């Protein structure tokens, strides 16, 4: 009897303890989702593939590699060596140590972005998607930025492009001025990454949806009359760019999964450019050069009171060029522009203003010094002055419809 | 008769041992838990010259704390401006202009101007009669009649402007409270999918309000989040969501309107949520303030942990750090104060002056960090072409008070 009492007392103590500990939270289960992969984004018969240069740029770079418990950064270095692309941690990790995992994988003659995704998904690495003035660089998300599982979401890899879904939500809204009606929509946010050789200079913020269907066969293609469907072009900074898709939520028998969303993103892809080097730019003024039928003038480079530098360029309208198209292109294209100095300094740049009179567009670009590892640094009096400015002027730009196809997405 | 007392049963050694073993067990368990969670002992490491330089650059100061401040005292509503009006066959624009002139309020009616003979002829006209109607009730009634929407221009946020004909901006039901009106705008639920696993979607529910405040109140800041007392659905679910640290903070976007603001009621949307929000009761918070006051701190590079308190508003100068040619002023304010909710305001709290009396130019800033109730913010100044900092000017509003605008709505839709 007494023994039973002891046992009961012990049980009560232990149960009370577990009650205080609370209900254990279910562990987060992260699974790599499905990828739709096609080595070719465009059929050989597609008009855009007719020039050999375009065909080369718009096909996936195929890579082979074998990793055995390899640290992720070593695996990326291997890919960088094989492709010639620069793959770096954004802002050198902000000075923090990166905490990526290791990779074991065999990649046999697969598109570059498939290899990248394999490493990212296995080693918990995200890709940095906010763009950068060093446009051809592929940047990894520093591990302290979070989003280490971002590349495990559903992706579409088509030729030199990879589109990954980053957010999907269903929004139900009642406007209280007309409370009898509920407006329902499904919103997808995607990021598209381009191989540097096929990087767009402009892209449509809203991808075009050609097919969208839920598991019950309901069409979710948005109405063409939806005022939120826009095709305006945005300028691109770097190899990544984002898009928003608004789908229709089925009114009857909606499914729990989206079976397929297929579409394309209108873009302008730079297939050729010509570098123009301006030596000792702080002293140089009013130098002009013509690229094809386009004249560009370097006006000046000035040092600002805050230690930054501002370059000014004028872009002139071609003889038969439509004024509106010229202005749109001149303002919406972010040219690759590099400033350098004798101290191995790298500079972050951004567009900082401009104006137009119809015949020419004048634009300013501001530069902030980084150290040789790419980190942003405070302005220092000891930093050497810039001694070279290089502007990459696009000489061959093609209109391209970048395809994407995402399958088996959750429909909340 | 002998009295025989009950003899105590001799204590069993087994039970003593059991209790002792239990106590020892708990002590061991407690010791083990403490060993697992105890903070590491501070260690002293001697660095070489180069390492010390690098460590100084990467030093992350410990989180700041401040004393908890009492709640802001409540302000008295000055009461509404009452309008009496009797107009025959007037356009809404004419009537709004008349109401504004009586309330002495500055309006921008350019976007709804009835210019030209045809516009004058085709403009809708009404007989309008108000007796002791509040300013905002009258204006909102006229907006409904004329399908107008009040808005604040980005470059003139204190001026009341109007747009015409946007059906999505039509005004919902409203409640007049003193010098303010609360308009119920929308109810929105949002379900966000988990893209990399089987977890259910996260669920969010918001009721959007628009708060209009008479310009004579001259708000210092209108909170973007409503404080809720009651939020229930018809199934008895309590929908009130606990307030998060970042719920009412705004970064960028320039100066905000002082007469109108979008205010959100942040709610929970449980899986078993009903079809209706049966009752939603709470208040919008409007901060008002007296004139600003400036405290000057001499030789700020040598100062650390300087407290400044003006009539309830508290801020601490943590340090002024020099990096290259830049100076970084690190401050901490009270997390719940309306003075430290918006990036633009925080950036204007401090000015740095050099030995020649010249003001340093701001070159950037940051906010976030600290341990509640401390909220850290920093302002970066460019030192290019400047001499050493001589003074730091800290400017804060005085007499900060809270005006509460209560509201209650019933039987709202809860869309799924």
């Amino acid at each position: 009897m007494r023994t039973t009492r002891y046992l009961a007392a012990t049980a009560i103590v232990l149960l009370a303890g577990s009650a205080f500990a609370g209900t254990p939270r279910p562990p987060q289960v992260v699974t790599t989702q499905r990828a739709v992969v096609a080595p070719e984004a465009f059929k050989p018969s597609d008009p855009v593939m007719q020039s050999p240069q375009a065909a080369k740029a718009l096909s996936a770079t195929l890579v082979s590699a074998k990793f055995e418990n390899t640290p992720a950064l070593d695996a990326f270095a291997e890919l960088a060596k094989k492709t010639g692309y620069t793959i770096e941690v954004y802002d050198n990790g902000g000075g923090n140590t990166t905490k990526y995992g290791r990779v074991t994988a065999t990649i046999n003659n697969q598109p570059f972005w498939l290899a990248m995704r394999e490493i990212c998904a296995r080693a918990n690495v995200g890709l940095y998607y906010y763009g950068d003035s060093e446009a051809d660089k592929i940047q990894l998300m520093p591990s302290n930025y979070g989003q280490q599982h971002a590349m495990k979401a559903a992706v579409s890899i088509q030729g030199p492009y990879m589109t990954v879904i980053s957010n999907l939500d269903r929004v139900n809204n009642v406007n209280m001025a007309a409370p009898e009606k509920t407006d329902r929509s499904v919103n997808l946010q995607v990021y598209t990454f381009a191989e540097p050789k096929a990087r767009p200079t402009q892209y449509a913020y809203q991808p075009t949806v050609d097919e969208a269907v839920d598991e019950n066969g309901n069409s979710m293609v948005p109405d063409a009359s939806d005022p939120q469907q826009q095709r305006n072009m945005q300028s691109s900074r770097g190899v990544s760019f984002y898009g928003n898709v608004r789908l229709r939520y089925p009114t009857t028998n909606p499914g729990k999964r989206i079976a397929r969303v297929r579409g394309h993103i209108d873009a302008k892809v730079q297939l050729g450019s010509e570098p123009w080097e301006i030596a000792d730019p702080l002293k140089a003024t009013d130098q002009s050069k013509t690229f094809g039928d386009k004249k560009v003038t370097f006006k000046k480079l000035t040092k600002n009171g805050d230690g930054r530098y501002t370059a000014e360029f004028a872009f002139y309208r071609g003889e038969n060029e439509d004024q509106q198209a010229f202005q749109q292109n001149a303002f919406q294209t972010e040219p690759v522009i590099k400033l350098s100095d004798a101290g191995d300094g790298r500079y972050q740049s951004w567009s900082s203003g401009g104006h137009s009179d119809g015949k020419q567009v004048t634009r300013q670009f501001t530069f902030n010094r980084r150290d040789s590892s790419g980190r942003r640094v405070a302005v220092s009096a000891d930093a050497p002055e810039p001694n070279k400015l290089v502007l990459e002027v696009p000489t061959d730009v093609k209109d391209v419809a970048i395809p994407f196809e995402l399958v088996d997405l959750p429909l909340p | 008769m002998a009295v025989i007392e009950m003899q105590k049963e001799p204590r069993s050694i087994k039970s003593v041992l059991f209790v002792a073993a239990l106590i020892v067990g708990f002590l061991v368990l407690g010791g083990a838990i403490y060993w697992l969670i105890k903070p590491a002992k501070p260690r002293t490491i001697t660095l070489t010259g180069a390492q010390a330089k690098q460590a100084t650059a990467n030093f992350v100061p410990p989180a700041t704390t401040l004393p908890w401040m009492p709640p802001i005292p409540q302000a008295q509503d000055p009461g509404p401006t009452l309008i009496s009006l009797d107009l025959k066959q007037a356009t809404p624009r004419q009537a709004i202009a008349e109401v504004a002139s009586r309330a002495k309020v500055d309006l921008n009616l350019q976007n709804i101007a009835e210019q030209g003979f045809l516009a004058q002829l085709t403009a809708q006209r009404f007989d309008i009669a108000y007796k002791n109607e509040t300013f905002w009730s009258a204006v909102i009634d006229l907006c409904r009649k004329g399908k107008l929407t009040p808005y604040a221009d980005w470059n003139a946020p204190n001026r009341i402007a109007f747009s015409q004909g946007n059906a999505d901006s039509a005004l919902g039901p409203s409640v007049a409270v003193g010098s303010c009106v609360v308009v119920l705008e929308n109810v929105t639920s949002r379900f966000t999918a988990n893209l990399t696993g089987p977890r259910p979607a996260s669920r969010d529910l918001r009721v959007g309000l628009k708060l209009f405040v008479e310009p004579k109140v001259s708000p210092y800041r209108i909170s973007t989040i409503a404080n809720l007392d009651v939020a229930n659905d018809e199934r008895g679910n309590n929908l009130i969501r606990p307030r998060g640290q970042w719920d009412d903070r705004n970064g960028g976007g320039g100066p905000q309107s002082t007469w109108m603001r979008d205010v959100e009621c942040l709610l929970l949307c449980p899986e078993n949520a009903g079809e209706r929000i049966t009752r939603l009761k709470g208040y919008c918070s409007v901060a008002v303030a007296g004139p600003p006051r400036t405290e000057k701190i001499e030789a700020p590079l040598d100062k650390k942990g300087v407290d400044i308190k003006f009539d309830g508003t508290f801020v601490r100068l943590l340090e002024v750090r020099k990096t290259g040619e830049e100076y970084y002023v690190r401050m901490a304010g009270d997390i719940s104060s309306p003075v430290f909710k918006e990036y633009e305001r925080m950036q204007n709290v401090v000015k740095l002056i050099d030995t020649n009396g010249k003001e340093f130019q701001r070159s950037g800033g940051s906010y976030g960090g600290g341990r509640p109730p401390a909220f850290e913010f920093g302002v970066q100044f460019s030192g290019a072409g400047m001499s050493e900092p001589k003074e730091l000017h800290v400017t804060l509003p005085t007499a900060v008070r809270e005006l509460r605008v209560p509201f209650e709505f019933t039987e709202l839709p809860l869309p799924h």
Side-chain angles (χ1 to χ4, degrees):
Chain A
M1 181 68 187
R2 190 166 287 163
T3 313
T4 316
R5 225 164 53 204
Y6 294 152
L7 288 173
T10 312
I12 287 165
V13 168
L14 291 174
L15 283 173
S18 64
F20 277 118
T23 314
R25 202 156 181 258
Q28 188 183 355
V29 181
V30 178
T31 320
T32 301
Q33 305 294 309
R34 286 178 64 182
V36 175
V37 184
E40 301 301 330
F42 309 98
K43 288 178 184 163
S45 58
D46 193 311
V48 79
M49 297 292 274
Q50 297 314 302
S51 98
Q53 189 190 7
K56 192 177 170 197
L58 296 173
S59 298
T61 301
L62 299 177
V63 291
S64 299
K66 189 168 183 182
F67 305 117
E68 197 77 49
N69 202 25
T70 310
L73 286 176
D74 291 351
F76 288 123
E78 175 78 13
L79 278 196
K81 200 171 139 193
K82 285 179 189 289
T83 57
Y85 296 148
T86 305
I87 306 172
E88 285 181 0
V89 181
Y90 171 72
D91 197 28
N92 201 21
N96 299 306
T97 312
T98 49
K99 291 174 186 162
Y100 301 142
R102 290 169 174 266
V103 191
T104 298
T106 302
I107 296 155
N108 199 359
N109 216 28
Q110 293 295 325
F112 168 74
W113 283 118
L114 183 74
M116 283 293 286
R117 197 223 187 195
E118 279 297 304
I119 301 172
C120 288
R122 288 168 192 270
N124 297 331
V125 184
L127 288 179
Y128 185 83
Y129 44 72
Y130 299 108
D132 192 85
S133 53
E134 293 177 82
D136 284 347
K137 201 161 63 178
I138 296 163
Q139 299 188 99
L140 311 174
M141 193 75 85
S143 45
N144 59 333
Y145 279 41
Q147 305 194 48
Q148 68 270 33
H149 300 306
M151 302 311 295
K152 294 176 184 173
V155 301
S156 162
I157 296 168
Q158 312 243 342
Y161 300 104
M162 173 172 71
T163 298
V164 57
I165 183 163
S166 62
N167 193 63
L168 193 161
D169 60 26
R170 176 158 68 85
V171 180
N172 316 289
N173 180 59
V174 177
N175 181 345
M176 291 307 293
E180 64 286 348
K181 187 186 154 209
T182 301
D183 178 39
R184 291 187 173 85
S185 65
V186 176
N187 304 305
L188 273 69
Q189 185 168 326
V190 295
Y191 283 93
T192 301
F193 296 86
E195 282 191 44
K197 66 178 181 179
R199 183 176 67 80
T201 54
Q202 291 182 45
Y203 66 95
Y205 165 71
Q206 282 208 318
T208 304
V209 176
D210 300 318
E211 182 191 359
V213 64
D214 75 359
E215 64 186 338
N216 294 341
N218 297 304
S219 172
M220 298 177 71
V221 175
D223 290 330
S225 59
D226 186 341
Q228 298 204 15
Q229 301 299 315
Q230 295 167 6
R231 297 285 173 268
N232 295 335
M233 290 291 211
Q234 317 283 313
S235 60
S236 163
R237 277 168 55 86
V239 298
S240 61
F241 50 99
Y242 67 95
N244 276 294
V245 178
R246 185 176 142 111
L247 301 178
R248 197 151 41 98
Y249 186 65
T251 48
T252 51
N253 191 28
K256 291 281 175 199
R257 313 284 298 177
I258 300 174
R260 177 179 291 105
V261 181
R262 188 175 56 77
H264 63 271
I265 304 160
D266 291 324
K268 290 182 186 295
V269 174
Q270 179 180 309
L271 297 173
S273 67
E274 194 178 327
W276 179 23
E277 182 178 320
I278 294 137
D280 206 358
L282 280 167
K283 290 179 185 158
T285 51
D286 280 319
Q287 296 183 15
S288 295
K289 194 171 177 184
T290 302
F291 302 83
D293 65 340
K294 297 281 185 69
K295 184 182 154 194
V296 182
T297 298
F298 165 72
K299 296 278 202 184
K300 60 187 173 185
L301 177 74
T302 49
K303 187 173 185 176
N304 308 335
D306 56 7
R308 292 169 174 165
Y309 299 89
T310 299
E312 189 171 293
F313 285 91
F315 301 87
Y316 295 86
R317 178 152 66 101
E319 208 168 299
N320 299 316
E321 195 172 6
D322 174 69
Q323 185 182 323
Q324 198 180 355
F326 158 69
Q327 284 184 316
Q328 275 178 358
N329 276 330
F331 277 119
Q332 286 174 359
T333 303
E334 286 307 313
V336 176
I337 183 164
K338 290 175 184 161
L339 194 62
S340 51
D341 59 44
D344 201 18
R346 291 156 67 174
Y347 292 80
Q348 178 186 24
S349 71
W350 61 92
S351 175
S352 55
H355 58 271
S356 170
D357 66 1
K359 289 181 181 166
Q360 70 177 69
V361 166
T362 304
R363 290 186 65 185
Q364 285 94 30
F365 302 92
T366 297
F367 298 84
N368 199 22
R369 197 172 190 276
R370 292 172 162 177
D371 66 15
S372 56
S373 71
R375 285 204 65 196
R376 289 165 291 174
V377 288
V379 176
S380 164
D382 305 331
E385 299 284 19
N387 59 6
K388 193 167 80 174
L389 178 67
V390 178
L391 174 73
E392 296 244 355
V393 179
T395 51
D396 184 10
V397 176
K398 290 263 185 299
D399 287 329
V400 167
I402 298 170
F404 69 90
E405 182 174 343
L406 298 162
V407 297
D408 195 21
L409 307 174
L411 178 53
Chain B
M1 194 173 72
V3 176
I4 300 170
E5 288 190 12
M6 287 286 288
Q7 293 294 306
K8 278 188 181 173
E9 198 178 333
R11 195 177 289 276
S12 159
I13 188 72
K14 276 185 186 173
S15 63
V16 172
L17 282 176
F18 174 75
V19 171
L22 211 59
I23 291 168
V24 169
F26 276 124
L27 285 173
V28 168
L29 192 67
I33 291 169
Y34 175 73
W35 181 77
L36 285 170
I37 64 170
K38 71 174 179 180
K41 275 185 191 168
R43 287 187 301 165
T44 306
I45 300 167
T46 310
L47 301 173
T48 63
Q51 285 172 329
K53 208 173 170 184
Q54 197 184 359
T56 310
N58 294 333
F59 173 67
V60 180
T64 312
T65 54
L66 291 181
W68 286 95
M69 298 296 290
I72 303 167
Q74 286 193 39
Q76 188 76 36
D77 190 322
T81 303
L82 297 176
I83 305 290
S84 294
L85 199 66
D86 192 1
L87 295 173
K88 301 287 178 211
Q89 289 302 295
T91 64
R93 179 186 183 280
Q94 288 166 338
I96 287 174
E98 187 61 34
V99 168
S101 77
R102 292 183 189 207
K104 300 184 178 59
V105 168
D106 187 20
L107 295 184
N108 175 5
L109 297 170
Q110 277 181 342
N111 283 352
I112 55 167
E114 293 133 6
Q115 286 171 342
F117 173 74
L118 199 63
Q120 291 264 346
L121 197 70
T122 54
Q124 267 193 304
R125 290 170 188 277
F126 305 89
D127 290 344
I128 295 158
Y130 297 128
K131 191 167 184 195
N132 288 336
E133 192 67 69
T134 71
F135 168 77
W136 272 117
S137 294
V139 172
I140 285 169
D141 179 58
L142 292 167
C143 285
R144 286 198 182 105
K145 283 190 164 78
K147 295 185 176 60
L148 308 175
T149 310
Y151 75 96
D153 258 330
W154 66 271
N155 56 354
N158 297 334
R159 206 165 176 211
I160 302 170
F162 296 87
S163 63
Q164 192 156 32
N166 185 354
D168 289 340
S169 313
L171 295 162
S174 55
V175 181
V177 186
S179 55
C180 307
V181 160
V182 182
V183 176
L184 179 59
E185 295 241 291
N186 50 51
V187 185
T188 307
S189 65
R190 182 183 293 267
F191 309 139
T192 305
N194 176 16
L195 295 171
T196 51
R199 270 195 182 177
S202 63
R203 300 163 66 90
D204 176 270
L205 178 65
R206 288 164 193 241
V207 174
L209 309 174
K210 200 163 243 154
L211 177 68
F212 295 94
V213 184
E214 272 198 50
K216 71 179 181 186
V217 176
S218 188
Y220 173 79
R221 181 178 187 268
I222 305 174
S223 174
T224 56
I225 306 297
N227 295 275
L228 298 176
D229 304 318
V230 182
N232 292 120
D233 67 5
E234 81 277 15
R235 293 182 182 164
N237 288 312
N238 177 9
L239 305 177
I240 294 180
R241 197 188 94 179
R243 180 73 76 90
Q245 193 195 137
W246 296 97
D247 281 349
D248 188 24
R249 300 206 175 271
N250 306 91
Q256 302 291 333
S257 161
T258 54
W259 57 269
M260 178 192 76
R261 193 134 198 196
D262 290 316
V263 178
E264 282 193 314
C265 304
L266 304 179
L267 301 172
L268 297 169
C269 188
E271 289 273 0
N272 65 340
E275 300 291 320
R276 299 185 328 274
I277 300 170
T278 47
R279 191 166 172 228
L280 183 71
K281 183 173 177 282
Y283 66 89
C284 300
S285 176
V286 179
V288 292
R293 209 176 111 193
T294 300
E295 177 96 0
K296 294 177 183 174
I297 299 169
E298 300 275 341
L301 275 173
D302 306 331
K303 303 279 166 58
K304 277 190 197 311
V306 181
D307 289 348
I308 299 158
K309 194 173 177 183
F310 294 162
D311 189 18
T313 304
F314 182 86
V315 73
R316 178 175 291 170
L317 167 66
L318 299 173
E319 61 172 341
V320 182
R321 198 189 305 154
K322 185 176 183 184
T323 313
E325 285 196 1
E326 303 262 310
Y327 293 93
Y328 184 68
V329 180
R330 204 172 133 236
M331 311 281 292
D334 175 18
I335 198 164
S336 53
S337 167
V339 180
F340 307 108
K341 295 280 190 188
E342 273 161 18
Y343 178 75
E344 277 81 8
R345 284 194 199 278
M346 285 184 267
Q347 293 299 292
N348 288 309
V349 165
V350 287
K351 278 182 186 172
L352 198 58
I353 313 293
D354 78 354
T355 49
N356 299 320
K358 206 170 147 192
E359 191 181 326
F360 285 78
Q361 278 199 335
R362 269 192 291 270
S363 57
S366 60
Y367 73 114
R371 191 180 300 157
F375 186 80
E376 280 194 29
F377 62 97
V379 188
Q380 187 121 354
F381 294 96
S382 166
M386 304 290 286
S387 59
E388 284 288 297
K390 186 190 171 204
E391 281 178 358
L392 182 77
H393 293 187
V394 181
T395 304
L396 296 170
T398 57
V400 178
R401 303 282 183 268
E402 184 190 35
L403 176 65
R404 292 184 174 185
V405 185
F407 61 81
E408 181 169 356
F409 297 103
T410 55
E411 298 302 323
L412 305 181
L414 199 166
H416 289 268

